[in-house]
Amino acid sequence: MKKLINEPEGVLNDALVGFAAANPDLVVNLEDRYISRGPTAGKVALVSGGGSGHEPLHGGFVGYGMLDAACPGEVFTSPVPDQMLAATKAVDGGAGVLHVVKNYTGDVLNFQMAAELAGDDGLQVESVLVNDDVAVENSTYTAGRRGTGGTVFVEKIAGAAAERGADLAATAAVAREVNDRSRSFGIALSANVIPATGKPGFELGDTEIELGVGIHGEPGRARGQVSTARELAGVALDAIHSDMPLSGDVLVMVNGLGGTPLIELYVVYAAVSEWLEGHGATITRNLVGNYITSLEMAGCSITVARMTPELTELWDAPVQTPALRWGR
Amino acid sequence: MKKLINEPEGVLNDALVGFAAANPDLVVNLEDRYISRGPTAGKVALVSGGGSGHEPLHGGFVGYGMLDAACPGEVFTSPVPDQMLAATKAVDGGAGVLHVVKNYTGDVLNFQMAAELAGDDGLQVESVLVNDDVAVENSTYTAGRRGTGGTVFVEKIAGAAAERGADLAATAAVAREVNDRSRSFGIALSANVIPATGKPGFELGDTEIELGVGIHGEPGRARGQVSTARELAGVALDAIHSDMPLSGDVLVMVNGLGGTPLIELYVVYAAVSEWLEGHGATITRNLVGNYITSLEMAGCSITVARMTPELTELWDAPVQTPALRWGR
Amino acid sequence: MDTSAFQAWVHEASLLITEHASRLTDLDAAIGDGDHGINLRRGFQAADEMIEKSESETDTPGAVLRTVGRALISKTGGASGPIYGTGFRQAGKALGDVTDVDAVLLGSALEAAFNGIQQLGAAHLGDKTLLDALGPAVTAYQVAVEDGGDIVAATRAAADAAERGLAETIPMLARKGRASYLGERTIGHEDPGAASTALIMRALATVAAGEAS
Amino acid sequence: MDTSAFQAWVHEASLLITEHASRLTDLDAAIGDGDHGINLRRGFQAADEMIEKSESETDTPGAVLRTVGRALISKTGGASGPIYGTGFRQAGKALGDVTDVDAVLLGSALEAAFNGIQQLGAAHLGDKTLLDALGPAVTAYQVAVEDGGDIVAATRAAADAAERGLAETIPMLARKGRASYLGERTIGHEDPGAASTALIMRALATVAAGEAS
Ligand SMILES: Nc1ncnc2c1ncn2[C@@H]1O[C@H](COP(=O)(O)OP(=O)(O)O)[C@@H](O)[C@H]1O
Ligand SMILES: Nc1ncnc2c1ncn2[C@@H]1O[C@H](COP(=O)(O)OP(=O)(O)O)[C@@H](O)[C@H]1O
Ligand SMILES: [Mg+2]
Ligand SMILES: [Mg+2]
Ligand SMILES: [Mg+2]
Ligand SMILES: [Mg+2]
């Protein structure tokens, strides 16, 4: 394992020190382990969090128009309730706090405990679950679908709603609407290596790929063979389309998993936009780049959200975070 | 080789199609192979270009406050004079065109021919050479230092000067000043694979790294052993410091070469900021992320520029490009 | 078992988990995200330290287990942090402030742990989770006690049953937690949480038998 | 050599370079960026096509070479595009509009190519560039002509000398182009540009001898 780190156990702390130095306008609490922009009086606050290794998610999305705080766990390990509680208290502006939770057992349980503790302390907390990954089948009998790329859309759009003054129930409703309208599918060309173990999560042959991967280095739903970007985009979009028929205005993200060069993401985006055009959907907004990664995994995920004019307006609203900025 | 591409020969074209679809506000000329934002009357235009595989450089820096056009060559191969000439003509707003050229024999010769052809056609063209890489020794007897991370600084700051109305000579002077004040050093943990060959540019053992690499998959100046981020940052900064003593206000970029996760770049940034603080320099501005990459190479480069208040003001000026945006 | 025996259990469990951390992580890499051993080592070491430091708050067996539960929740993260944390907290609550725990009371505590985890995580037996080790362990414990066994015999029966339960997770298809994303591909692997539960039950039997290190 | 012989040279060079593209690329991977074969294959195939298509503009040997030069500049990219492009253009200019080129005139054309490249790239003999194959080739050609050799003999001498020159680049330390960044690490490798020059000179000798495919 070759990584630009000091000691494997210190990765998260060192990265937070670096993040703090690079973003002097944000508050990084190293003790309680959260990143925040402080409270905004009267505004609903958005708090998210999850395992580290997905950067820029979530810390890179803290700032005007998006999150108020992010709680980074150890690499690929959900954060603990203490962090979430501390962050929730730190950003509560009196209008309540929305927890944006990716649907993983660990994230769900830890956020649930944090919400209970916050409730005990008199805070008003709502939670919204992101579960956009269509690669997970039979989801009613299992832990359900994972939260992946749709998280970026939920955090951006609900963040804009909160910034505009939506109350807690309305902000939560927007977040749930975005989640309901978003679907993702991921493809890995290589595994990643967790610093603490130093070993790849799975081994792939020279021509093998993993179809339907999440963002934690776990193997995918099925193993496949290397193929063209066009075909792989088709596999991902077929899966999405058969779950949620695509038409009308869509917001699309072609997201790099961490080890894939941007030039390839543009090749994929070309294929995605060709496919969608062929199926009568219109891409009105897009993101191409590394937004929710899986350490150095090579591959990409494709996320599509069916948009309404209102959601597009919220998407376009100003955002000023380390990783996403426009409009102000 | 596993890549998200269609045919190796079509990578550049496919990526440009994708880039065009993703950036409807920019003009992508597939025939002549350039990306532009069209001419701005009365403004000095900045044209850059170079081999592809370094994305977001240069196409991702076309937009308000930065480049007017970018000419992407084949992967790691300088573009041809025809492209540069077409781009130069396309963005000339009557105030002359500045060619920002990274110091590689191929880039220099091709841009030189383009400038001659443009001159023959009555256009006013100046060229500025970026050569910030301190890893290249004995540079007076060779092709000279490479242009690497400093290019991002030159394009941003000279772009801001042009946007503010600086004339061609003044814009070129700012660009040269930024180059003179910038130094870079790169470290690779793995090689990259050019789509057309499908083979890694070099082979590294499990604990080997390349010190002083450029951005084209060529081996570095020396082979080293894996070490902590802190030590590697020290190696890079010592090399920079012994070439250009660092003190006062500095602009710093910790740049991912394409295959290194962002969390590691923050770990490196923590080490860089600790080192600089210890040496009495003050980081006033920074970039942490993938800005000038080398396909999927794992590793990073560190670029430091000694700033003046005027240069910092130009750095802060609004910029609206796919890869860099703030202030408007 | 008195307070110090429960403290010894935590210490022994922490040692066992630390010793087997990389095996637990490897099991998790196969069907999860490869952090189970790292998570639990961090959590149990923190719990063990907290027990050593905060003597006043851990002066009964119940207090020890409740403190362990809180420590696991605060330091572990992942799915296993809240799950094991809840298990220990519920067990601790079941012990009340009794200072010397007999075989029957320990049985109720184990059952409370099982029920707490079941309620929190909504998993069923056969879903390939740590319940598939803990469930058989609790049952075997109670059968042993009903058959007149003492704490030593009953905890040994529980530990043996947890290990058999672990083996029985191999052919199961995961329906809960991260492994459930892999569907069919989880068949043929031990569940990492069941493996750590087997270690924790083994630690209990060892301590009860007075053989702890 | 008449116009069609020069066209045949370009065709033969294109074939040879295509055949050896991956070797050229491997040489470049060792001390450069691994694209030389890809670059030249793209450039020479484009040049060959352009010659085939635009007959009217390539009706003299000089016009053929000037067209090749322009095509190489427009299609190759990298360092080798402008360098070979300039070489062919200068050679083409030296031929003027002569329709049948004799041994002496071809010698001047080769010398013009060398000088044009030398001026453009500012490399010196010994810097480990394609000049280290082209220089010896030009010299050997001229010596052969001075010794009374015909075009067949002189081009063969040139091709042989280019190959020897290529071998002599192995111990050299690169001082120009991308390889120069590697300093000492370039010692022990053939220069890719010298290797392609040897192929181009061999193509010339083959065509001159009437043995082209
Ligand atoms: N809903 C659940 N109920 C009971 N145990 C569960 C549940 N979900 C997961 N687990 C247990 O947690 C283990 C994984 O723990 P761990 O790897 O630490 O967390 P994570 O899955 O968040 O990475 C699984 O092997 C399983 O035994
Ligand atoms: N200044 C120069 N003069 C002559 N030849 C040069 C010079 N610089 C580079 N070359 C030749 O170009 C070859 C490399 O060509 P190529 O790989 O196509 O371009 P690039 O270096 O831009 O990738 C080198 O092997 C060398 O022979
Ligand atoms: Mg985990
Ligand atoms: Mg090249
Ligand atoms: Mg796990
Ligand atoms: Mg090359």
Side-chain angles (χ1 to χ4, degrees):
Chain A
M1 174 194 58
K2 281 183 271 184
K3 286 183 178 290
L4 291 171
I5 61 174
N6 299 305
E7 313 75 36
E9 313 76 45
V11 169
L12 176 54
N13 189 72
D14 291 348
L16 286 176
V17 168
F19 186 90
N23 296 284
D25 50 327
L26 295 175
V27 178
V28 177
N29 188 320
L30 289 174
E31 184 84 11
D32 291 332
R33 292 237 166 124
Y34 63 80
I35 294 164
S36 96
R37 53 170 163 143
T40 304
K43 187 184 88 69
V44 169
L46 272 77
V47 173
S48 191
S52 292
H54 308 303
E55 291 67 26
L57 189 87
H58 297 273
F61 298 135
V62 174
Y64 183 85
M66 216 161 162
L67 296 179
D68 294 270
C71 305
E74 292 291 331
V75 173
F76 291 168
T77 299
S78 15
V80 297
D82 310 43
Q83 290 173 262
M84 298 158 179
L85 180 62
T88 299
K89 287 182 176 170
V91 297
D92 179 46
V97 180
L98 183 68
H99 286 178
V100 178
V101 185
K102 301 195 298 301
N103 188 32
Y104 299 98
T105 305
D107 293 52
V108 170
L109 296 180
N110 284 287
F111 263 108
Q112 186 176 312
M113 288 187 172
E116 278 164 25
L117 294 169
D120 291 351
D121 289 355
L123 284 116
Q124 212 191 335
V125 173
E126 271 245 41
S127 294
V128 56
L129 216 58
V130 184
N131 61 348
D132 57 312
D133 185 359
V134 300
V136 177
E137 288 163 23
N138 309 320
S139 48
T140 35
Y141 307 109
T142 67
R145 290 178 166 184
R146 298 173 286 216
T148 58
T151 316
V152 178
F153 295 176
V154 170
E155 293 179 357
K156 166 66 187 84
I157 293 176
E163 210 70 64
R164 291 196 171 183
D167 65 15
L168 184 53
T171 306
V174 169
R176 288 194 190 101
E177 187 186 359
V178 175
N179 179 58
D180 288 348
R181 292 170 163 275
S182 299
R183 297 291 187 281
S184 296
F185 191 94
I187 293 168
L189 308 191
S190 72
N192 54 28
V193 175
I194 301 174
T197 66
K199 282 181 284 192
F202 49 86
E203 302 278 356
L204 283 177
D206 277 355
T207 63
E208 286 177 331
I209 61 175
E210 289 281 343
L211 295 169
V213 290
I215 51 173
H216 295 91
E218 66 266 43
R221 189 76 191 187
R223 196 153 281 193
Q225 284 293 312
V226 282
S227 173
T228 61
R230 218 173 273 123
E231 260 171 41
L232 294 177
V235 169
L237 288 164
D238 282 340
I240 290 171
H241 186 61
S242 72
D243 190 78
M244 177 183 77
L246 296 170
S247 68
D249 290 352
V250 293
L251 161 64
V252 169
M253 175 167 71
V254 171
N255 171 63
L257 291 176
T260 279
L262 186 51
I263 190 169
E264 295 181 25
L265 298 182
Y266 280 118
V267 170
V268 173
Y269 187 77
V272 167
S273 80
E274 190 183 280
W275 191 101
L276 285 168
E277 215 169 277
H279 285 71
T282 308
I283 307 181
T284 52
R285 300 291 184 274
N286 73 81
L287 287 179
V288 181
N290 292 356
Y291 293 98
I292 168 169
T293 59
S294 186
L295 292 175
E296 70 276 73
M297 183 178 268
C300 74
S301 65
I302 297 171
T303 304
V304 186
R306 296 196 52 180
M307 299 297 272
T308 64
E310 294 71 34
L311 294 179
T312 301
E313 205 188 311
L314 289 168
W315 179 258
D316 288 344
V319 59
Q320 292 298 327
T321 71
L324 218 58
R325 33 177 92 222
W326 58 71
R328 204 174 81 160
Chain B
M1 174 193 57
K2 282 182 269 185
K3 287 185 178 286
L4 292 170
I5 61 174
N6 298 305
E7 313 75 36
E9 314 75 47
V11 169
L12 176 55
N13 189 71
D14 291 348
L16 286 176
V17 168
F19 185 90
N23 297 283
D25 49 327
L26 295 175
V27 178
V28 177
N29 189 319
L30 289 174
E31 183 86 11
D32 291 332
R33 292 241 165 123
Y34 63 81
I35 294 165
S36 94
R37 53 168 163 144
T40 304
K43 189 183 88 67
V44 169
L46 273 77
V47 174
S48 191
S52 292
H54 309 302
E55 292 67 25
L57 190 87
H58 297 271
F61 298 135
V62 174
Y64 182 85
M66 218 162 160
L67 296 180
D68 295 270
C71 305
E74 291 293 331
V75 172
F76 292 168
T77 299
S78 14
V80 298
D82 309 44
Q83 290 173 263
M84 297 157 180
L85 180 63
T88 300
K89 286 180 176 170
V91 297
D92 179 46
V97 181
L98 183 67
H99 285 178
V100 179
V101 185
K102 301 197 297 303
N103 189 32
Y104 299 97
T105 305
D107 292 52
V108 170
L109 295 180
N110 284 287
F111 263 109
Q112 185 177 313
M113 288 187 171
E116 276 163 27
L117 294 170
D120 291 351
D121 289 354
L123 284 116
Q124 211 191 337
V125 173
E126 272 244 37
S127 294
V128 55
L129 215 59
V130 184
N131 60 349
D132 57 311
D133 184 358
V134 300
V136 177
E137 289 163 24
N138 311 320
S139 48
T140 33
Y141 307 108
T142 66
R145 291 178 165 184
R146 298 174 286 218
T148 57
T151 316
V152 178
F153 294 176
V154 169
E155 293 179 0
K156 167 66 187 83
I157 294 177
E163 210 70 66
R164 291 198 170 180
D167 66 15
L168 184 55
T171 305
V174 168
R176 288 192 190 104
E177 185 184 0
V178 175
N179 179 58
D180 289 346
R181 292 170 163 276
S182 300
R183 298 289 187 282
S184 296
F185 190 93
I187 293 168
L189 307 191
S190 73
N192 53 28
V193 175
I194 301 175
T197 66
K199 283 182 283 190
F202 50 86
E203 301 279 356
L204 283 176
D206 277 355
T207 63
E208 286 177 332
I209 61 176
E210 289 280 343
L211 295 170
V213 289
I215 51 172
H216 295 91
E218 65 265 43
R221 187 77 192 187
R223 196 153 279 193
Q225 284 293 310
V226 281
S227 173
T228 62
R230 217 172 274 122
E231 260 171 39
L232 294 177
V235 167
L237 288 164
D238 283 340
I240 291 172
H241 186 60
S242 72
D243 191 77
M244 176 182 77
L246 296 171
S247 67
D249 290 352
V250 293
L251 162 64
V252 169
M253 175 167 71
V254 170
N255 171 63
L257 291 177
T260 280
L262 186 50
I263 191 170
E264 295 181 24
L265 299 183
Y266 280 118
V267 171
V268 173
Y269 186 76
V272 167
S273 80
E274 190 183 280
W275 192 101
L276 286 168
E277 215 169 275
H279 285 72
T282 308
I283 306 182
T284 52
R285 298 292 184 274
N286 73 81
L287 287 179
V288 181
N290 292 356
Y291 293 99
I292 168 169
T293 59
S294 186
L295 291 175
E296 70 275 74
M297 183 178 270
C300 74
S301 65
I302 296 170
T303 304
V304 186
R306 296 195 52 180
M307 298 296 272
T308 63
E310 294 71 34
L311 294 179
T312 300
E313 205 188 311
L314 289 167
W315 179 258
D316 288 344
V319 59
Q320 292 298 328
T321 69
L324 218 57
R325 34 177 91 223
W326 57 69
R328 201 173 82 158
Chain C
M1 280 174 67
D2 62 4
T3 302
S4 67
F6 279 87
Q7 289 172 336
W9 177 22
V10 177
H11 186 66
E12 183 68 16
S14 170
L15 289 181
L16 263 188
I17 278 169
T18 301
E19 186 187 330
H20 291 268
S22 73
R23 178 170 64 91
L24 296 176
T25 292
D26 287 350
L27 290 177
D28 196 30
I31 61 169
D33 59 350
D35 61 359
H36 188 59
I38 305 164
N39 292 347
L40 280 196
R41 183 178 54 199
R42 183 174 54 241
F44 272 87
Q45 286 181 353
D48 191 28
E49 269 173 37
M50 208 173 289
I51 297 286
E52 278 190 9
K53 276 192 216 142
S54 58
E55 281 168 32
S56 63
E57 292 157 34
T58 55
D59 52 5
T60 63
V64 168
L65 296 194
R66 292 191 294 272
T67 299
V68 170
R70 275 200 305 278
L72 289 178
I73 290 173
S74 295
K75 299 294 175 187
T76 313
S80 52
I83 285 172
Y84 275 120
T86 296
F88 277 92
R89 284 186 70 199
Q90 295 303 330
K93 283 189 189 172
L95 295 182
D97 46 16
V98 168
T99 52
D100 209 337
V101 174
D102 65 14
V104 172
L105 185 56
L106 183 55
S108 325
L110 292 176
E111 199 179 332
F114 180 89
N115 290 337
I117 292 174
Q118 209 281 315
Q119 224 177 317
L120 181 73
H124 299 280
L125 289 176
D127 282 356
K128 195 172 187 130
T129 71
L130 53 84
L131 290 180
D132 293 311
L134 186 56
V138 174
T139 307
Y141 182 98
Q142 283 166 334
V143 167
V145 171
E146 274 161 32
D147 289 356
D150 62 0
I151 273 197
V152 177
T155 52
R156 187 179 317 118
D160 292 348
E163 280 158 16
R164 282 195 304 274
L166 166 61
E168 277 162 23
T169 63
I170 296 176
M172 292 178 184
L173 184 147
R175 286 206 196 77
K176 285 288 167 196
R178 200 179 285 289
S180 68
Y181 308 135
L182 295 193
E184 306 281 336
R185 292 176 84 174
T186 57
I187 294 172
H189 298 271
E190 290 179 347
D191 175 65
S196 54
T197 291
L199 293 175
I200 294 165
M201 295 313 295
R202 180 58 61 199
L204 178 60
T206 305
V207 166
E211 293 160 353
S213 48
Chain D
M1 281 173 65
D2 63 5
T3 301
S4 68
F6 279 87
Q7 290 172 335
W9 177 22
V10 177
H11 187 65
E12 182 69 14
S14 170
L15 290 180
L16 264 188
I17 278 168
T18 301
E19 186 187 330
H20 291 268
S22 72
R23 178 170 65 92
L24 296 176
T25 292
D26 287 351
L27 290 177
D28 197 31
I31 60 170
D33 60 349
D35 63 358
H36 187 59
I38 304 164
N39 291 348
L40 281 197
R41 183 178 56 199
R42 184 176 51 244
F44 271 87
Q45 286 181 354
D48 191 28
E49 269 174 38
M50 206 172 289
I51 297 286
E52 277 189 11
K53 276 193 217 142
S54 58
E55 281 168 34
S56 63
E57 292 157 34
T58 55
D59 52 4
T60 64
V64 168
L65 296 194
R66 291 191 296 272
T67 299
V68 170
R70 274 200 306 278
L72 290 178
I73 290 173
S74 294
K75 299 294 174 188
T76 313
S80 52
I83 285 172
Y84 275 120
T86 297
F88 276 92
R89 284 187 69 200
Q90 295 304 330
K93 283 189 190 173
L95 295 184
D97 47 14
V98 168
T99 52
D100 209 337
V101 174
D102 65 14
V104 172
L105 185 56
L106 182 56
S108 327
L110 291 176
E111 198 180 335
F114 180 90
N115 290 337
I117 291 173
Q118 209 280 316
Q119 223 177 318
L120 181 73
H124 299 280
L125 288 176
D127 282 356
K128 196 175 185 122
T129 70
L130 54 83
L131 289 182
D132 293 310
L134 186 56
V138 175
T139 307
Y141 183 98
Q142 284 167 334
V143 168
V145 171
E146 274 163 33
D147 289 358
D150 63 1
I151 274 198
V152 177
T155 53
R156 186 180 318 118
D160 292 348
E163 280 157 17
R164 282 194 306 273
L166 166 60
E168 276 162 25
T169 63
I170 296 177
M172 292 179 185
L173 184 149
R175 286 206 195 76
K176 284 289 167 196
R178 200 178 285 288
S180 68
Y181 308 135
L182 294 193
E184 305 282 336
R185 292 176 83 174
T186 57
I187 293 174
H189 298 272
E190 288 180 350
D191 175 64
S196 55
T197 292
L199 294 174
I200 295 166
M201 295 312 297
R202 180 58 61 200
L204 178 60
T206 305
V207 167
E211 293 159 354
S213 47

